[in-house]
PDB file of all heavy atoms in Angstrom:
ATOM      1  N   ILE A 947     -18.718  12.114  -4.134  1.00  0.00           N
ATOM      2  CA  ILE A 947     -18.470  11.309  -2.927  1.00  0.00           C
ATOM      3  C   ILE A 947     -17.966   9.922  -3.325  1.00  0.00           C
ATOM      4  O   ILE A 947     -17.025   9.386  -2.737  1.00  0.00           O
ATOM      5  CB  ILE A 947     -19.752  11.197  -2.090  1.00  0.00           C
ATOM      6  CG1 ILE A 947     -20.120  12.563  -1.512  1.00  0.00           C
ATOM      7  CG2 ILE A 947     -19.567  10.181  -0.964  1.00  0.00           C
ATOM      8  CD1 ILE A 947     -21.426  12.574  -0.743  1.00  0.00           C
ATOM      9  N   GLY A 948     -18.596   9.359  -4.371  1.00  0.00           N
ATOM     10  CA  GLY A 948     -18.151   8.046  -4.833  1.00  0.00           C
ATOM     11  C   GLY A 948     -16.726   8.080  -5.344  1.00  0.00           C
ATOM     12  O   GLY A 948     -15.944   7.165  -5.105  1.00  0.00           O
ATOM     13  N   GLY A 949     -16.383   9.166  -6.054  1.00  0.00           N
ATOM     14  CA  GLY A 949     -15.020   9.301  -6.556  1.00  0.00           C
ATOM     15  C   GLY A 949     -14.004   9.422  -5.444  1.00  0.00           C
ATOM     16  O   GLY A 949     -12.918   8.854  -5.500  1.00  0.00           O
ATOM     17  N   GLN A 950     -14.364  10.161  -4.398  1.00  0.00           N
ATOM     18  CA  GLN A 950     -13.459  10.312  -3.254  1.00  0.00           C
ATOM     19  C   GLN A 950     -13.260   8.981  -2.554  1.00  0.00           C
ATOM     20  O   GLN A 950     -12.147   8.642  -2.126  1.00  0.00           O
ATOM     21  CB  GLN A 950     -14.024  11.348  -2.286  1.00  0.00           C
ATOM     22  CG  GLN A 950     -13.968  12.781  -2.805  1.00  0.00           C
ATOM     23  CD  GLN A 950     -14.658  13.751  -1.875  1.00  0.00           C
ATOM     24  OE1 GLN A 950     -15.524  13.375  -1.079  1.00  0.00           O
ATOM     25  NE2 GLN A 950     -14.293  15.018  -1.977  1.00  0.00           N
ATOM     26  N   ALA A 951     -14.345   8.205  -2.427  1.00  0.00           N
ATOM     27  CA  ALA A 951     -14.241   6.893  -1.771  1.00  0.00           C
ATOM     28  C   ALA A 951     -13.338   5.965  -2.570  1.00  0.00           C
ATOM     29  O   ALA A 951     -12.507   5.237  -2.001  1.00  0.00           O
ATOM     30  CB  ALA A 951     -15.624   6.278  -1.618  1.00  0.00           C
ATOM     31  N   ALA A 952     -13.476   5.988  -3.900  1.00  0.00           N
ATOM     32  CA  ALA A 952     -12.639   5.146  -4.754  1.00  0.00           C
ATOM     33  C   ALA A 952     -11.177   5.554  -4.656  1.00  0.00           C
ATOM     34  O   ALA A 952     -10.276   4.706  -4.618  1.00  0.00           O
ATOM     35  CB  ALA A 952     -13.115   5.229  -6.204  1.00  0.00           C
ATOM     36  N   ALA A 953     -10.932   6.872  -4.608  1.00  0.00           N
ATOM     37  CA  ALA A 953      -9.555   7.357  -4.489  1.00  0.00           C
ATOM     38  C   ALA A 953      -8.938   6.943  -3.159  1.00  0.00           C
ATOM     39  O   ALA A 953      -7.766   6.551  -3.094  1.00  0.00           O
ATOM     40  CB  ALA A 953      -9.526   8.876  -4.631  1.00  0.00           C
ATOM     41  N   CYS A 954      -9.734   7.014  -2.095  1.00  0.00           N
ATOM     42  CA  CYS A 954      -9.243   6.608  -0.774  1.00  0.00           C
ATOM     43  C   CYS A 954      -8.919   5.126  -0.747  1.00  0.00           C
ATOM     44  O   CYS A 954      -7.896   4.698  -0.181  1.00  0.00           O
ATOM     45  CB  CYS A 954     -10.276   6.934   0.301  1.00  0.00           C
ATOM     46  SG  CYS A 954     -10.433   8.688   0.675  1.00  0.00           S
ATOM     47  N   GLU A 955      -9.784   4.320  -1.381  1.00  0.00           N
ATOM     48  CA  GLU A 955      -9.542   2.880  -1.430  1.00  0.00           C
ATOM     49  C   GLU A 955      -8.266   2.576  -2.217  1.00  0.00           C
ATOM     50  O   GLU A 955      -7.468   1.717  -1.822  1.00  0.00           O
ATOM     51  CB  GLU A 955     -10.733   2.170  -2.072  1.00  0.00           C
ATOM     52  CG  GLU A 955     -10.564   0.655  -2.118  1.00  0.00           C
ATOM     53  CD  GLU A 955     -11.765  -0.039  -2.729  1.00  0.00           C
ATOM     54  OE1 GLU A 955     -12.743   0.654  -3.075  1.00  0.00           O
ATOM     55  OE2 GLU A 955     -11.727  -1.276  -2.850  1.00  0.00           O
ATOM     56  N   HIS A 956      -8.066   3.297  -3.332  1.00  0.00           N
ATOM     57  CA  HIS A 956      -6.863   3.099  -4.147  1.00  0.00           C
ATOM     58  C   HIS A 956      -5.606   3.427  -3.342  1.00  0.00           C
ATOM     59  O   HIS A 956      -4.626   2.680  -3.386  1.00  0.00           O
ATOM     60  CB  HIS A 956      -6.938   3.977  -5.393  1.00  0.00           C
ATOM     61  CG  HIS A 956      -5.731   3.869  -6.274  1.00  0.00           C
ATOM     62  ND1 HIS A 956      -5.408   2.719  -6.971  1.00  0.00           N
ATOM     63  CD2 HIS A 956      -4.746   4.772  -6.563  1.00  0.00           C
ATOM     64  CE1 HIS A 956      -4.298   2.916  -7.647  1.00  0.00           C
ATOM     65  NE2 HIS A 956      -3.878   4.148  -7.421  1.00  0.00           N
ATOM     66  N   ARG A 957      -5.636   4.528  -2.603  1.00  0.00           N
ATOM     67  CA  ARG A 957      -4.472   4.903  -1.783  1.00  0.00           C
ATOM     68  C   ARG A 957      -4.223   3.871  -0.704  1.00  0.00           C
ATOM     69  O   ARG A 957      -3.074   3.553  -0.380  1.00  0.00           O
ATOM     70  CB  ARG A 957      -4.689   6.281  -1.175  1.00  0.00           C
ATOM     71  CG  ARG A 957      -4.558   7.433  -2.173  1.00  0.00           C
ATOM     72  CD  ARG A 957      -4.446   8.775  -1.468  1.00  0.00           C
ATOM     73  NE  ARG A 957      -5.670   9.109  -0.764  1.00  0.00           N
ATOM     74  CZ  ARG A 957      -6.673   9.799  -1.300  1.00  0.00           C
ATOM     75  NH1 ARG A 957      -6.609  10.202  -2.555  1.00  0.00           N
ATOM     76  NH2 ARG A 957      -7.748  10.090  -0.584  1.00  0.00           N
ATOM     77  N   SER A 958      -5.300   3.330  -0.132  1.00  0.00           N
ATOM     78  CA  SER A 958      -5.154   2.305   0.903  1.00  0.00           C
ATOM     79  C   SER A 958      -4.492   1.053   0.340  1.00  0.00           C
ATOM     80  O   SER A 958      -3.611   0.454   0.976  1.00  0.00           O
ATOM     81  CB  SER A 958      -6.525   1.954   1.484  1.00  0.00           C
ATOM     82  OG  SER A 958      -6.414   0.917   2.426  1.00  0.00           O
ATOM     83  N   VAL A 959      -4.898   0.657  -0.878  1.00  0.00           N
ATOM     84  CA  VAL A 959      -4.299  -0.510  -1.532  1.00  0.00           C
ATOM     85  C   VAL A 959      -2.818  -0.270  -1.803  1.00  0.00           C
ATOM     86  O   VAL A 959      -1.971  -1.144  -1.591  1.00  0.00           O
ATOM     87  CB  VAL A 959      -5.043  -0.831  -2.841  1.00  0.00           C
ATOM     88  CG1 VAL A 959      -4.283  -1.872  -3.662  1.00  0.00           C
ATOM     89  CG2 VAL A 959      -6.458  -1.321  -2.550  1.00  0.00           C
ATOM     90  N   GLN A 960      -2.492   0.948  -2.255  1.00  0.00           N
ATOM     91  CA  GLN A 960      -1.088   1.279  -2.525  1.00  0.00           C
ATOM     92  C   GLN A 960      -0.250   1.226  -1.256  1.00  0.00           C
ATOM     93  O   GLN A 960       0.877   0.717  -1.261  1.00  0.00           O
ATOM     94  CB  GLN A 960      -0.992   2.660  -3.165  1.00  0.00           C
ATOM     95  CG  GLN A 960      -1.441   2.713  -4.612  1.00  0.00           C
ATOM     96  CD  GLN A 960      -1.224   4.082  -5.207  1.00  0.00           C
ATOM     97  OE1 GLN A 960      -1.501   5.108  -4.583  1.00  0.00           O
ATOM     98  NE2 GLN A 960      -0.719   4.126  -6.433  1.00  0.00           N
ATOM     99  N   ARG A 961      -0.788   1.762  -0.153  1.00  0.00           N
ATOM    100  CA  ARG A 961      -0.052   1.725   1.113  1.00  0.00           C
ATOM    101  C   ARG A 961       0.159   0.292   1.580  1.00  0.00           C
ATOM    102  O   ARG A 961       1.243  -0.066   2.066  1.00  0.00           O
ATOM    103  CB  ARG A 961      -0.804   2.529   2.172  1.00  0.00           C
ATOM    104  CG  ARG A 961      -0.709   4.045   1.996  1.00  0.00           C
ATOM    105  CD  ARG A 961      -1.175   4.765   3.243  1.00  0.00           C
ATOM    106  NE  ARG A 961      -2.591   4.540   3.516  1.00  0.00           N
ATOM    107  CZ  ARG A 961      -3.576   5.295   3.068  1.00  0.00           C
ATOM    108  NH1 ARG A 961      -3.297   6.358   2.316  1.00  0.00           N
ATOM    109  NH2 ARG A 961      -4.832   5.018   3.364  1.00  0.00           N
ATOM    110  N   SER A 962      -0.864  -0.538   1.427  1.00  0.00           N
ATOM    111  CA  SER A 962      -0.741  -1.938   1.822  1.00  0.00           C
ATOM    112  C   SER A 962       0.323  -2.647   0.995  1.00  0.00           C
ATOM    113  O   SER A 962       1.131  -3.418   1.529  1.00  0.00           O
ATOM    114  CB  SER A 962      -2.093  -2.646   1.650  1.00  0.00           C
ATOM    115  OG  SER A 962      -1.977  -4.026   1.919  1.00  0.00           O
ATOM    116  N   ALA A 963       0.353  -2.362  -0.316  1.00  0.00           N
ATOM    117  CA  ALA A 963       1.355  -2.974  -1.187  1.00  0.00           C
ATOM    118  C   ALA A 963       2.759  -2.535  -0.796  1.00  0.00           C
ATOM    119  O   ALA A 963       3.689  -3.350  -0.749  1.00  0.00           O
ATOM    120  CB  ALA A 963       1.071  -2.617  -2.644  1.00  0.00           C
ATOM    121  N   ARG A 964       2.923  -1.237  -0.499  1.00  0.00           N
ATOM    122  CA  ARG A 964       4.250  -0.743  -0.107  1.00  0.00           C
ATOM    123  C   ARG A 964       4.710  -1.383   1.202  1.00  0.00           C
ATOM    124  O   ARG A 964       5.879  -1.754   1.341  1.00  0.00           O
ATOM    125  CB  ARG A 964       4.229   0.778   0.009  1.00  0.00           C
ATOM    126  CG  ARG A 964       4.244   1.504  -1.335  1.00  0.00           C
ATOM    127  CD  ARG A 964       4.585   2.971  -1.160  1.00  0.00           C
ATOM    128  NE  ARG A 964       3.550   3.689  -0.432  1.00  0.00           N
ATOM    129  CZ  ARG A 964       2.535   4.318  -1.005  1.00  0.00           C
ATOM    130  NH1 ARG A 964       2.412   4.306  -2.319  1.00  0.00           N
ATOM    131  NH2 ARG A 964       1.646   4.963  -0.277  1.00  0.00           N
ATOM    132  N   ARG A 965       3.803  -1.508   2.176  1.00  0.00           N
ATOM    133  CA  ARG A 965       4.164  -2.130   3.453  1.00  0.00           C
ATOM    134  C   ARG A 965       4.580  -3.585   3.251  1.00  0.00           C
ATOM    135  O   ARG A 965       5.587  -4.039   3.808  1.00  0.00           O
ATOM    136  CB  ARG A 965       2.997  -2.050   4.428  1.00  0.00           C
ATOM    137  CG  ARG A 965       2.766  -0.670   5.043  1.00  0.00           C
ATOM    138  CD  ARG A 965       1.863  -0.774   6.253  1.00  0.00           C
ATOM    139  NE  ARG A 965       0.564  -1.336   5.909  1.00  0.00           N
ATOM    140  CZ  ARG A 965      -0.493  -0.612   5.561  1.00  0.00           C
ATOM    141  NH1 ARG A 965      -0.389   0.706   5.482  1.00  0.00           N
ATOM    142  NH2 ARG A 965      -1.650  -1.186   5.276  1.00  0.00           N
ATOM    143  N   THR A 966       3.796  -4.299   2.462  1.00  0.00           N
ATOM    144  CA  THR A 966       4.107  -5.704   2.205  1.00  0.00           C
ATOM    145  C   THR A 966       5.445  -5.841   1.494  1.00  0.00           C
ATOM    146  O   THR A 966       6.265  -6.705   1.826  1.00  0.00           O
ATOM    147  CB  THR A 966       3.000  -6.341   1.347  1.00  0.00           C
ATOM    148  OG1 THR A 966       1.747  -6.222   2.042  1.00  0.00           O
ATOM    149  CG2 THR A 966       3.283  -7.807   1.084  1.00  0.00           C
ATOM    150  N   PHE A 967       5.691  -4.970   0.514  1.00  0.00           N
ATOM    151  CA  PHE A 967       6.931  -5.003  -0.248  1.00  0.00           C
ATOM    152  C   PHE A 967       8.134  -4.720   0.654  1.00  0.00           C
ATOM    153  O   PHE A 967       9.149  -5.415   0.601  1.00  0.00           O
ATOM    154  CB  PHE A 967       6.862  -3.985  -1.378  1.00  0.00           C
ATOM    155  CG  PHE A 967       7.973  -4.116  -2.376  1.00  0.00           C
ATOM    156  CD1 PHE A 967       7.830  -4.916  -3.492  1.00  0.00           C
ATOM    157  CD2 PHE A 967       9.171  -3.438  -2.201  1.00  0.00           C
ATOM    158  CE1 PHE A 967       8.852  -5.044  -4.419  1.00  0.00           C
ATOM    159  CE2 PHE A 967      10.194  -3.558  -3.112  1.00  0.00           C
ATOM    160  CZ  PHE A 967      10.035  -4.362  -4.228  1.00  0.00           C
ATOM    161  N   LEU A 968       8.024  -3.693   1.492  1.00  0.00           N
ATOM    162  CA  LEU A 968       9.140  -3.339   2.372  1.00  0.00           C
ATOM    163  C   LEU A 968       9.429  -4.439   3.377  1.00  0.00           C
ATOM    164  O   LEU A 968      10.593  -4.715   3.689  1.00  0.00           O
ATOM    165  CB  LEU A 968       8.836  -2.020   3.087  1.00  0.00           C
ATOM    166  CG  LEU A 968       8.921  -0.757   2.216  1.00  0.00           C
ATOM    167  CD1 LEU A 968       8.422   0.456   2.984  1.00  0.00           C
ATOM    168  CD2 LEU A 968      10.359  -0.536   1.743  1.00  0.00           C
ATOM    169  N   LYS A 969       8.387  -5.073   3.898  1.00  0.00           N
ATOM    170  CA  LYS A 969       8.598  -6.187   4.822  1.00  0.00           C
ATOM    171  C   LYS A 969       9.359  -7.311   4.141  1.00  0.00           C
ATOM    172  O   LYS A 969      10.272  -7.903   4.723  1.00  0.00           O
ATOM    173  CB  LYS A 969       7.250  -6.694   5.335  1.00  0.00           C
ATOM    174  CG  LYS A 969       6.580  -5.786   6.339  1.00  0.00           C
ATOM    175  CD  LYS A 969       5.227  -6.356   6.770  1.00  0.00           C
ATOM    176  CE  LYS A 969       4.524  -5.439   7.754  1.00  0.00           C
ATOM    177  NZ  LYS A 969       3.180  -5.969   8.129  1.00  0.00           N
ATOM    178  N   ALA A 970       8.990  -7.610   2.888  1.00  0.00           N
ATOM    179  CA  ALA A 970       9.685  -8.655   2.146  1.00  0.00           C
ATOM    180  C   ALA A 970      11.142  -8.273   1.894  1.00  0.00           C
ATOM    181  O   ALA A 970      12.046  -9.107   1.989  1.00  0.00           O
ATOM    182  CB  ALA A 970       8.966  -8.919   0.820  1.00  0.00           C
ATOM    183  N   ALA A 971      11.384  -6.998   1.580  1.00  0.00           N
ATOM    184  CA  ALA A 971      12.746  -6.527   1.324  1.00  0.00           C
ATOM    185  C   ALA A 971      13.609  -6.624   2.577  1.00  0.00           C
ATOM    186  O   ALA A 971      14.783  -7.008   2.510  1.00  0.00           O
ATOM    187  CB  ALA A 971      12.708  -5.093   0.811  1.00  0.00           C
ATOM    188  N   LEU A 972      13.036  -6.283   3.714  1.00  0.00           N
ATOM    189  CA  LEU A 972      13.782  -6.355   4.968  1.00  0.00           C
ATOM    190  C   LEU A 972      14.009  -7.802   5.396  1.00  0.00           C
ATOM    191  O   LEU A 972      15.050  -8.139   5.957  1.00  0.00           O
ATOM    192  CB  LEU A 972      13.029  -5.600   6.071  1.00  0.00           C
ATOM    193  CG  LEU A 972      12.956  -4.077   5.894  1.00  0.00           C
ATOM    194  CD1 LEU A 972      12.012  -3.474   6.921  1.00  0.00           C
ATOM    195  CD2 LEU A 972      14.343  -3.456   6.014  1.00  0.00           C
ATOM    196  N   ARG A 973      13.027  -8.649   5.101  1.00  0.00           N
ATOM    197  CA  ARG A 973      13.126 -10.052   5.497  1.00  0.00           C
ATOM    198  C   ARG A 973      14.112 -10.814   4.626  1.00  0.00           C
ATOM    199  O   ARG A 973      14.815 -11.715   5.090  1.00  0.00           O
ATOM    200  CB  ARG A 973      11.734 -10.682   5.402  1.00  0.00           C
ATOM    201  CG  ARG A 973      11.631 -12.097   5.952  1.00  0.00           C
ATOM    202  CD  ARG A 973      10.188 -12.562   5.995  1.00  0.00           C
ATOM    203  NE  ARG A 973       9.553 -12.504   4.678  1.00  0.00           N
ATOM    204  CZ  ARG A 973       8.606 -11.632   4.340  1.00  0.00           C
ATOM    205  NH1 ARG A 973       8.178 -10.744   5.207  1.00  0.00           N
ATOM    206  NH2 ARG A 973       8.071 -11.640   3.125  1.00  0.00           N
ATOM    207  N   GLY A 974      14.167 -10.442   3.336  1.00  0.00           N
ATOM    208  CA  GLY A 974      15.038 -11.160   2.411  1.00  0.00           C
ATOM    209  C   GLY A 974      15.799 -10.226   1.511  1.00  0.00           C
ATOM    210  O   GLY A 974      15.518 -10.151   0.305  1.00  0.00           O
ATOM    211  N   PRO A 975      16.761  -9.462   2.033  1.00  0.00           N
ATOM    212  CA  PRO A 975      17.496  -8.492   1.208  1.00  0.00           C
ATOM    213  C   PRO A 975      18.275  -9.131   0.064  1.00  0.00           C
ATOM    214  O   PRO A 975      18.630  -8.454  -0.895  1.00  0.00           O
ATOM    215  CB  PRO A 975      18.440  -7.819   2.219  1.00  0.00           C
ATOM    216  CG  PRO A 975      18.569  -8.809   3.342  1.00  0.00           C
ATOM    217  CD  PRO A 975      17.242  -9.500   3.431  1.00  0.00           C
ATOM    218  N   GLY A 976      18.522 -10.421   0.143  1.00  0.00           N
ATOM    219  CA  GLY A 976      19.236 -11.092  -0.930  1.00  0.00           C
ATOM    220  C   GLY A 976      18.345 -11.545  -2.066  1.00  0.00           C
ATOM    221  O   GLY A 976      18.823 -11.995  -3.103  1.00  0.00           O
TER     222      GLY A 976
END
């Protein structure tokens, strides 16, 4: 259960990073 929780948290962090990155790319394509 602890391993599953850690994996879920890791995926959540990755999704947050991707969203933040894409927003920056769209905001400043140059």
Side-chain angles (χ1 to χ4, degrees):
I947 293 176
Q950 289 174 337
C954 287
E955 182 179 358
H956 178 67
R957 286 194 294 269
S958 177
V959 170
Q960 286 184 317
R961 286 194 295 270
S962 175
R964 284 195 294 268
R965 285 196 300 268
T966 301
F967 191 91
L968 287 172
K969 286 179 181 178
L972 292 171
R973 187 172 57 250

